[in-house]
Amino acid sequence: MKFSPLFLAVSAVLSATTVSANTAANATDNLANHSSEHSSLKEIEVIQVKGSYFNSYKVDNANGALRGNISLLETAQSVTVIPDTVINEQLATTLGEVLANDASLTAGSKQRNREVFNLRGFTLSSSNGYLRDGHQHWSHYQQPIETLASIEVIKGPSSILYGQSGPGGLVNMVTKKPTANSIFNLGLDVDQEGSSRLTLDAGGAITEDESLRYRANLVKQDVTYQREYQNGEQRERERFLGALVIDYDVNEDLLVRFHYDKTNDKAGLDTGAWLDDKGNIIGDDKTIRDMSWAFTDITVENYGVDVNYILTDSWQVKLGYNSQTFERQRFESAPKKPSGFVQGDVYTSKPYDRFDDWQFTTSFIDFTGEFSLTGVEHQLLIGANYLDYYYGQLKVKGESFAYSAGQAEPTRPDISYTTDDSLYTSEYNYYGIYIQDLITINQEWQVMIGGRYDKQSKEGADNESLLPKAGVLYHPSDSTTFYASYSEGFEPQSSETINDDEDLNYGMEIDAMTSQQYELGAKWQLFDDRLLLTSALFDITKTGVLVTEYYQDDSYRTSQVGEQRHKGFEMAAQGAVTDKLFVMASMINLDASYESDEKYTGKTPIDAPEWSASIWSRYELTENLAINAGAFYQGERFADQDNTIVKDAYTRIDLGATYKITLNNTDINLRLNVKNLFDTGYLAGGGTSNVTVGDGISYRLAVQLAF
């Protein structure tokens, strides 16, 4: 075998540094990603096209929705796919910046250098709300989006295929894959605060026969935030990412894929701003209540293998395995907001040093087949998946101290989690067996039916469930679909009782959470199938919700409310309006409330606005010059469970422009983005003591080189 010098060079860098890359993706890259999947193991001519972005705003398939390469028009479910074209145009550096393009997702708190999201008003859990290439993914950190080809937002309960998951849906992160054609992209972007991000995205064939291919990413990012500590220091962050994917075509029928990535992410802590009883920020909107020495330091590693084997012309089997290790040190100053606090008052901090160790091991096997039975076409999926979960924690508390604005910052306590000799652990595993059949009765009608048996084994919290899913699709034309569907979800609690001995309801028995959704929808492809329009009506009921109330004396009580019901209507448009104008737009009207509970009936959950909308667009002025414009609207939201504190509605306007130059076969893209053009002041996600303050106007300049 002859190995590519570029591959050897990148491999050497990976072995020395574990740092990875931001992909500066373009139309060539998107074509290559599709051609690298196993469906193209047979020899296919790769055509490289330069120039316009084509219709790279519109994606026709979502692998995560039905665990297969099935058209969105044949999916009886609302799904949004955000392509890497949009990610790159927005110079996005966090998952939150990307998910803002789907109005059904709203941001929750961003405290402690991680992001929380609500989908259709329900919070996405770190343990079961996210997938990566179909694997359940522990997402208690900011995701490395530079490695992603697209993000699929799969709406509604999806437990039939993925096991434990919430009623709002799932976010499936689809990673970039090796390519046969050579890719070498360098990128550098900076902002007005001095933040910088250096990225490399490389790929291509390792061997002359192209049977061995790779994709490698490197990223080094340094961030300076607009908010600052009370001693005048600005909050900072350092991140390194390294990722490598290798594809090997063993023969025409067998593809083996290996992947590895590592993230190091260290940042100062910002647990959010504090609000008064009228929803106003107490003090300056840039002030961080945490001490400047508080930090979080995260190391995440993923490695695994995927196998795709074509058994016959009609059947194939897919196997996947991923091991994820997540280690985090969090040194907290832990400020506590007193009742009735006003600027200048004294507040107490309760510092501690904590080490967390999460280990996620996932695997699956899927058999898929297409066949005809009594004149009816079937696309059948039979599979099973498994998760093994481990969590360990060490924690040492320091002495509490009082502080008020204007005082000298207290020194960092001399404590270390390494002195804790009482390791707390939690373990469980679960597996599920599922079946799904997409039945094509004739050209107009399709039926989707499925079911799953799921079992969790955990000391004190064993659970099992049997879940159904069904859908009917009507296609009056090749470009139109109307559908109706029903699905269920299941989420075991972490224990059978409330086991926090500081909780006022300590020892109370709690039940597993279940959910049901009814959905009606329609999908149309317009303008010669260049623009996809979608709409959906949904009604979701969740039972067994846990709500924690905090009192003035720092005590708290967790209760299990009866029901949480979210009803709503969504619309979206994605694709090309003309040869030069591309759009990605969405809106949602949401009616979310608690039901059948003595205290919370009629109340709306935190961060569940009635109206939300977003639009991002691209207009190509010339072959070399394009402009972008976006608007992101969030309606009024409650900041507390009692619905007495309201966060105002806001609209954020963003602008961008790209100019392309070609020199000596090198494409140079110069990009300028302006975020929050009108310097709108707003509050994003979070409650009264951890709200995220929206950044003011910011500028980001990028240079991207494609060789």
Side-chain angles (χ1 to χ4, degrees):
M1 291 185 177
K2 292 185 177 179
F3 293 85
S4 161
L6 179 57
F7 169 78
L8 295 175
V10 172
S11 298
V13 173
L14 278 172
S15 63
T17 63
T18 66
V19 182
S20 164
N22 168 11
T23 116
N26 50 34
T28 302
D29 196 25
N30 291 333
L31 288 171
N33 282 328
H34 291 297
S35 68
S36 68
E37 295 301 321
H38 188 64
S39 59
S40 63
L41 285 178
K42 317 282 193 224
E43 292 185 3
I44 294 179
E45 180 183 5
V46 178
I47 302 174
Q48 184 171 340
V49 186
K50 294 186 177 181
S52 170
Y53 268 48
F54 311 105
N55 194 1
S56 51
Y57 269 51
K58 178 174 172 285
V59 181
D60 295 319
N61 303 321
N63 289 328
L66 298 177
R67 294 187 74 95
N69 191 28
I70 297 175
S71 166
L72 291 176
L73 291 179
E74 295 184 304
T75 303
Q77 190 172 1
S78 179
V79 181
T80 298
V81 183
I82 306 171
D84 59 346
T85 297
V86 173
I87 297 173
N88 288 317
E89 287 180 355
Q90 295 177 342
L91 294 178
T93 61
T94 68
L95 185 61
E97 292 172 340
V98 181
L99 295 182
N101 293 287
D102 186 343
S104 63
L105 282 144
T106 56
S109 170
K110 290 176 64 175
Q111 60 178 335
R112 299 184 174 93
N113 197 32
R114 60 176 292 252
E115 298 177 294
V116 177
F117 306 99
N118 303 313
L119 179 50
R120 288 182 169 175
F122 293 97
T123 300
L124 292 175
S125 168
S126 296
S127 61
N128 59 40
Y130 302 84
L131 308 169
R132 194 168 78 166
D133 294 328
H135 286 276
Q136 189 170 334
H137 188 73
W138 181 251
S139 297
H140 217 61
Y141 68 111
Q142 294 200 26
Q143 297 300 309
I145 65 169
E146 295 87 356
T147 65
L148 301 183
S150 64
I151 297 175
E152 300 171 351
V153 184
I154 305 166
K155 301 171 189 178
S158 296
S159 288
I160 176 181
L161 297 181
Y162 297 104
Q164 305 171 13
S165 62
L170 295 167
V171 172
N172 183 34
M173 296 170 284
V174 182
T175 59
K176 293 185 177 296
K177 306 301 188 296
T179 59
N181 58 302
S182 295
I183 295 172
F184 193 86
N185 296 328
L186 287 173
L188 172 65
D189 56 74
V190 297
D191 69 13
Q192 82 284 351
E193 300 295 331
S195 305
S196 64
R197 183 176 58 161
L198 179 64
T199 66
L200 166 67
D201 178 18
I206 303 172
T207 57
E208 289 185 348
D209 63 0
E210 299 181 352
S211 62
L212 198 60
R213 303 174 299 277
Y214 81 100
R215 192 66 173 268
N217 297 104
L218 302 173
V219 175
K220 183 183 186 304
Q221 183 182 18
D222 296 288
V223 183
T224 301
Y225 293 91
Q226 293 187 13
R227 281 167 58 84
E228 61 184 31
Y229 298 99
Q230 293 174 86
N231 65 357
E233 296 180 12
Q234 284 184 272
R235 181 185 174 219
E236 295 182 340
R237 175 190 179 203
E238 296 179 353
R239 181 172 71 105
F240 302 90
L241 167 66
L244 178 65
V245 183
I246 295 178
D247 278 1
Y248 178 42
D249 296 335
V250 179
N251 54 47
E252 288 188 346
D253 297 324
L254 179 61
L255 167 70
V256 180
R257 172 173 295 148
F258 304 93
H259 66 266
Y260 173 81
D261 66 84
K262 184 173 183 178
T263 298
N264 298 114
D265 195 348
K266 183 175 182 178
L269 283 178
D270 180 358
T271 52
W274 294 350
L275 302 180
D276 62 21
D277 292 341
K278 296 182 179 179
N280 300 314
I281 298 173
I282 301 173
D284 189 279
D285 60 1
K286 291 188 177 182
T287 298
I288 300 174
R289 298 289 176 182
D290 304 84
M291 299 296 117
S292 65
W293 38 259
F295 70 90
T296 179
D297 191 354
I298 294 171
T299 299
V300 186
E301 284 189 280
N302 290 276
Y303 65 87
V305 61
D306 293 276
V307 178
N308 193 352
Y309 182 57
I310 298 176
L311 299 170
T312 68
D313 290 341
S314 301
W315 287 89
Q316 61 180 307
V317 59
K318 297 180 180 179
L319 301 95
Y321 170 86
N322 186 74
S323 178
Q324 183 180 17
T325 301
F326 179 104
E327 295 181 340
R328 178 187 68 186
Q329 181 188 7
R330 203 171 78 199
F331 200 109
E332 289 258 18
S333 58
K336 304 295 181 182
K337 177 192 172 188
S339 176
F341 180 83
V342 297
Q343 184 66 7
D345 283 358
V346 174
Y347 64 90
T348 300
S349 288
K350 300 181 178 181
Y352 60 83
D353 188 21
R354 170 174 158 179
F355 179 79
D356 302 286
D357 177 17
W358 283 277
Q359 296 178 27
F360 253 52
T361 301
T362 60
S363 58
F364 71 84
I365 180 170
D366 287 348
F367 291 92
T368 57
E370 299 183 13
F371 59 92
S372 179
L373 186 64
T374 64
V376 176
E377 300 295 327
H378 295 261
Q379 292 176 266
L380 183 65
L381 165 68
I382 302 173
N385 57 1
Y386 174 82
L387 167 69
D388 185 81
Y389 169 94
Y390 167 84
Y391 171 64
Q393 181 191 112
L394 297 170
K395 183 177 179 180
V396 172
K397 298 179 181 179
E399 294 291 331
S400 299
F401 60 85
Y403 180 81
S404 64
Q407 292 181 347
E409 181 179 272
T411 58
R412 172 175 160 176
D414 185 19
I415 55 175
S416 173
Y417 71 84
T418 58
T419 62
D420 183 8
D421 57 3
S422 58
L423 175 66
Y424 167 79
T425 62
S426 176
E427 299 180 69
Y428 69 85
N429 60 70
Y430 81 80
Y431 66 87
I433 303 170
Y434 45 88
I435 184 170
Q436 172 185 274
D437 193 7
L438 178 61
I439 305 169
T440 302
I441 300 173
N442 53 41
Q443 193 171 6
E444 289 82 25
W445 290 94
Q446 290 180 301
V447 176
M448 195 283 294
I449 56 175
R452 177 188 181 93
Y453 171 75
D454 196 79
K455 182 176 178 61
Q456 172 179 285
S457 298
K458 180 179 181 179
E459 185 177 351
D462 284 350
N463 278 285
E464 58 183 332
S465 61
L466 188 63
L467 303 173
K469 183 177 181 180
V472 178
L473 302 100
Y474 172 60
H475 309 285
S477 69
D478 291 341
S479 58
T480 306
T481 297
F482 298 97
Y483 69 88
S485 64
Y486 171 80
S487 57
E488 293 187 4
F490 180 77
E491 297 174 273
Q493 304 283 5
S494 59
S495 64
E496 293 179 341
T497 62
I498 295 177
N499 56 15
D500 183 352
D501 58 7
E502 295 184 7
D503 196 297
L504 296 179
N505 274 342
Y506 172 66
M508 185 185 78
E509 292 187 2
I510 51 179
D511 298 321
M513 293 179 286
T514 60
S515 56
Q516 303 83 36
Q517 174 185 265
Y518 296 90
E519 182 171 302
L520 296 173
K523 304 178 184 184
W524 303 270
Q525 293 198 106
L526 305 178
F527 307 138
D528 296 325
D529 295 342
R530 296 186 305 175
L531 182 70
L532 176 65
L533 300 180
T534 63
S535 64
L537 284 165
F538 59 88
D539 189 340
I540 308 173
T541 302
K542 179 177 181 178
T543 59
V545 182
L546 295 178
V547 173
T548 301
E549 267 188 292
Y550 292 89
Y551 302 106
Q552 294 182 4
D553 60 356
D554 283 342
S555 64
Y556 52 92
R557 181 192 304 274
T558 300
S559 304
Q560 190 164 31
V561 303
E563 288 186 357
Q564 192 173 340
R565 188 176 183 186
H566 294 201
K567 299 175 289 184
F569 172 68
E570 295 173 338
M571 290 189 68
Q574 192 169 347
V577 179
T578 69
D579 289 341
K580 295 181 178 296
L581 178 61
F582 305 85
V583 299
M584 182 169 189
S586 62
M587 61 78 62
I588 182 173
N589 174 250
L590 179 65
D591 177 12
S593 64
Y594 295 108
E595 297 183 356
S596 305
D597 181 76
E598 181 178 344
K599 178 165 185 170
Y600 291 105
T601 294
K603 303 293 186 183
T604 299
I606 294 173
D607 285 323
E610 181 180 2
W611 290 97
S612 299
S614 68
I615 183 171
W616 179 260
S617 62
R618 171 188 175 89
Y619 186 76
E620 297 181 352
L621 295 171
T622 69
E623 289 186 357
N624 298 324
L625 179 62
I627 58 174
N628 298 104
F632 304 89
Y633 170 78
Q634 289 283 296
E636 290 185 344
R637 296 136 293 141
F638 290 109
D640 65 329
Q641 296 287 356
D642 291 329
N643 291 181
T644 59
I645 301 176
V646 177
K647 295 185 289 186
D648 292 337
Y650 70 90
T651 301
R652 193 191 82 221
I653 304 296
D654 296 351
L655 287 178
T658 304
Y659 185 70
K660 180 179 178 180
I661 306 170
T662 301
L663 294 175
N664 299 324
N665 295 320
T666 300
D667 291 336
I668 304 173
N669 286 288
L670 304 176
R671 184 182 299 279
L672 174 65
N673 280 12
V674 183
K675 188 174 180 180
N676 197 2
L677 177 67
F678 299 112
D679 201 22
T680 301
Y682 65 93
L683 299 177
T688 57
S689 61
N690 63 358
V691 72
T692 299
V693 180
D695 286 336
I697 186 171
S698 62
Y699 309 88
R700 186 170 293 163
L701 178 66
V703 179
Q704 299 168 333
L705 308 177
F707 298 94

